Amino acid sequence: MQLVILAAGMGSRFGGLKQMEPMDDYGNFILDYSVHDALLAGFDSVIFIIKKEHLEIFRETIGKRVEPLVKTQYAFQDLNDLPEPYKCPEGRSKPWGTAHAILAARDLINDDFIIINGDDYYGQETYKVAAEYLKKLPKDSKGKYANVAFRVANTLAENGSVKRGVCFQDKKHFLTKMIESSVERDKDGVINATPLDEKIPPFKCDDSQLVSMNLFVFTKDVMGLLKEKFPAFLKDNISNLKSEYLIPEVVSEIVGEGKATLELLETPSVWYGVTYREDKPSVVKALKDFTDKGLYKKGLY
């Protein structure tokens, strides 16, 4: 089982490279805790998807801590990494999105895998849920995808709205719909979701509503489908300088075509992250509390 970490993005709202921000007294990042928790759950290799210009700082920080513990590889998301006959249009600076980021690791992914965001703390139980799902699949399974979803109340930021994929499921816990939304608790304690698609009206969520934190579980056949669908996306969007080839949208299309199923797996964990710079103290405190309780060794490694 492979752990694929999406870490190519710069945190514009946070004001820097979020993945390189120490979160404890020992210089560890959220990424260090993510790798630690994944290894504890049984994942046996790590792929960091980054910008090529960030390779040195990754290897000099988290790389030197992680590489002695687990097979560690790096893939580079590049704006010019496009299939023929497409060329990156002049003026494009925005990355092509999360599905394109995964394709950057197409030569490294050779097993079933999960993807995570590099700047999110998912919690130990979350990786256990993902690992148990993959371990139970028959050998060489295809199209058996999952999303480890959080209760929305466990994912809110203290300092503003957050982007979440609000999930809806059938009685067998398979995803029926995901609405990408801006989510925030108002002064009256009500959680409001404003869909990014302006055609969908705002709605309210109760605390237990499941949302996606971009932790998808994939059987390795998804790589072929992502590669297959990318040219069609480019045909329709190549001139749009802000268009993105996004995992939730591509997977929804694949599921809609009957090529795969996507099961929702609920985690009891609480999310922590640095959506805004003001969020850092709460993350630092949470990780210290977990360490004081014995969930982590002091210094982690």
Side-chain angles (χ1 to χ4, degrees):
M1 300 184 299
Q2 294 181 289
L3 170 66
V4 178
I5 301 178
L6 306 179
M10 296 291 288
S12 57
R13 286 181 296 175
F14 181 71
L17 186 58
K18 293 188 283 187
Q19 294 88 350
M20 298 293 101
E21 188 79 10
M23 291 291 160
D24 61 22
D25 293 336
Y26 307 93
N28 292 310
F29 313 137
I30 287 179
L31 274 172
D32 288 286
Y33 287 87
S34 296
V35 172
H36 172 280
D37 292 346
L39 297 186
L40 194 65
F43 289 85
D44 52 19
S45 75
V46 178
I47 300 170
F48 291 104
I49 300 176
I50 62 175
K51 291 182 178 179
K52 195 168 186 177
E53 58 264 34
H54 295 157
L55 177 60
E56 183 177 352
I57 189 171
F58 261 82
R59 299 205 71 172
E60 287 300 312
T61 52
I62 187 171
K64 69 180 182 182
R65 297 192 286 266
V66 172
E67 288 173 10
L69 304 175
V70 64
K71 180 179 180 181
T72 305
Q73 297 171 288
Y74 301 88
F76 309 116
Q77 187 174 17
D78 186 336
L79 285 175
N80 297 302
D81 182 16
L82 303 177
E84 293 290 346
Y86 298 100
K87 305 292 182 184
C88 184
E90 184 176 350
R92 173 97 191 190
S93 59
K94 189 178 184 66
W96 289 103
T98 50
H100 178 255
I102 295 172
L103 282 175
R106 57 190 175 273
D107 294 331
L108 304 178
I109 294 174
N110 52 27
D111 196 0
D112 298 337
F113 65 99
I114 67 171
I115 65 167
I116 66 168
N117 295 330
D119 50 6
D120 289 323
Y121 174 85
Y122 291 93
Q124 292 183 3
E125 287 299 319
T126 301
Y127 295 95
K128 292 177 183 177
V129 169
E132 286 304 310
Y133 175 83
L134 287 176
K135 290 173 183 176
K136 290 179 181 178
L137 289 180
K139 186 178 181 181
D140 298 322
S141 291
K142 294 183 178 180
K144 302 294 185 182
Y145 310 154
N147 181 289
V148 185
F150 286 68
R151 293 185 176 190
V152 66
N154 289 340
T155 75
L156 300 177
E158 296 177 359
N159 298 287
S161 63
V162 289
K163 182 180 175 183
R164 301 288 181 255
V166 183
C167 299
F168 299 89
Q169 60 185 321
D170 62 21
K171 293 180 180 179
K172 295 184 178 180
H173 305 295
F174 287 96
L175 183 77
T176 57
K177 181 171 58 176
M178 183 185 299
I179 302 177
E180 292 290 336
S181 305
S182 177
V183 179
E184 188 173 12
R185 193 187 293 276
D186 65 23
K187 58 182 175 55
D188 297 320
V190 178
I191 300 175
N192 297 294
T194 303
L196 302 187
D197 183 346
E198 296 180 355
K199 297 177 182 178
I200 304 174
F203 57 95
K204 301 183 188 304
C205 299
D206 61 39
D207 283 17
S208 62
Q209 172 68 53
L210 295 183
V211 297
S212 169
M213 294 298 300
N214 213 36
L215 197 161
F216 284 89
V217 185
F218 290 119
T219 46
K220 61 185 177 182
D221 62 284
V222 74
M223 298 303 294
L225 294 171
L226 295 180
K227 183 178 180 180
E228 175 187 308
K229 290 184 170 296
F230 193 31
F233 166 84
L234 292 172
K235 181 179 179 180
D236 294 338
N237 296 280
I238 189 68
S239 61
N240 182 344
L241 301 183
K242 295 185 178 181
S243 60
E244 292 184 81
Y245 190 48
L246 298 172
I247 275 295
E249 295 177 5
V250 184
V251 170
S252 293
E253 184 177 329
I254 292 170
V255 171
E257 294 170 347
K259 296 178 180 177
T261 57
L262 183 76
E263 187 172 349
L264 281 181
L265 311 172
E266 183 176 343
T267 174
S269 295
V270 176
W271 166 87
Y272 292 96
V274 283
T275 305
Y276 305 93
R277 182 167 293 278
E278 293 81 5
D279 295 333
K280 180 179 176 180
S282 64
V283 180
V284 171
K285 180 180 184 303
L287 294 176
K288 183 180 184 303
D289 289 345
F290 291 148
T291 301
D292 291 344
K293 292 176 182 177
L295 287 177
Y296 300 107
K297 296 179 180 178
K298 289 186 177 181
L300 193 59
Y301 294 112

